[in-house]
Each structure stands twice: as structure tokens, then as C-alpha cells.
Amino acid sequence: SRLQYQVKFALVTVFKMTKGTTSFGKRHNKSHTACRRCGKTSYHIQKKTCSSCGYPAKKMRNFNWGQKAKGRRTVGTGRMRYMKTLTRRFKNGFREGTQAKKMIASKE
């Protein structure tokens, strides 16, 4: 019976997973919530700062070691309501309030 006890004890110690699955079940307190500026779940409730965009700081948080992250929120990733018409308007000298002249077919 002592041998059986030792075998059972060995199995329990080998297969017990304290750092993984069992520990993850205990996590139910939220340290981060949704950010007002960027919308990510990165706003730290106690620190009152966003780990993604840096809110409430006036300047957006970005680093040169995160080139991919910079590209995700740079100019051209949104709607560009103003910028998308800018090149066409520049090409025409920013003219406004004029009507294009009608092309008259040549009479031959």
C-alpha cells in the first residue's frame, strides 16, 4: 500500500499545472477599459492613461521602434474626407464656383 501511495503522490505532483490553466480561471478583475480616443481596451483605470494612444496626453503616443503600429493609425487609414479631394483641386488651381465649358463638336 505504501508503494501505491508513492505512485499516486508522484502522479499528482507531475500533472498539477499551477502556472497555467488553473491560474487563468482566477482572473476576473479588469485593469484596462475602452479608451475614449482610440477605442482600444487599453485605458488603465487606476493610472487613468491609455497604454495605446497615451490619452489624456495631447500628443498621440508613438515610437520609432513600432513602425507597424505607426502605419496602422497614420494619414490614409481613415476616411480622408478632406485629403482625398485635395490633389484634384490642386491640379485645377483651387478654382471654385465655375462651370466647365462645353466641348463643341468641330463642323467639317
Side-chain angles (χ1 to χ4, degrees), residues 4-103:
Q4 285 178 332
Y5 173 75
Q6 285 179 332
V7 170
K8 282 183 183 176
F9 183 74
L11 288 173
V12 169
T13 53
V14 171
F15 293 113
K16 194 172 179 186
M17 298 181 195
T18 54
K19 290 194 287 183
T21 312
T22 53
S23 299
F24 278 101
K26 293 180 173 73
R27 304 208 292 184
H28 50 72
N29 294 328
K30 290 184 179 177
S31 57
H32 293 86
T33 187
C35 174
R36 287 162 138 188
R37 190 201 273 166
C38 66
K40 289 188 181 179
T41 313
S42 304
Y43 186 77
H44 199 282
I45 299 163
Q46 286 185 321
K47 291 182 184 178
K48 302 224 180 322
T49 52
C50 179
S51 57
S52 179
C53 69
Y55 179 83
K58 289 179 180 70
K59 291 186 178 180
M60 285 285 279
R61 173 189 174 273
N62 67 330
F63 295 100
N64 286 330
W65 48 258
Q67 287 298 125
K68 282 184 172 180
K70 275 181 155 184
R72 286 187 199 109
R73 57 169 145 232
T74 189
V75 178
T77 57
R79 280 175 63 184
M80 293 210 319
R81 285 168 286 190
Y82 175 77
M83 290 277 286
K84 66 182 170 189
T85 61
L86 199 63
T87 49
R88 174 173 47 82
R89 292 189 312 118
F90 170 76
K91 187 176 71 179
N92 297 318
F94 296 100
R95 65 179 177 208
E96 285 184 341
T98 58
Q99 196 73 28
K101 292 176 183 174
K102 289 183 179 178
M103 297 289 284

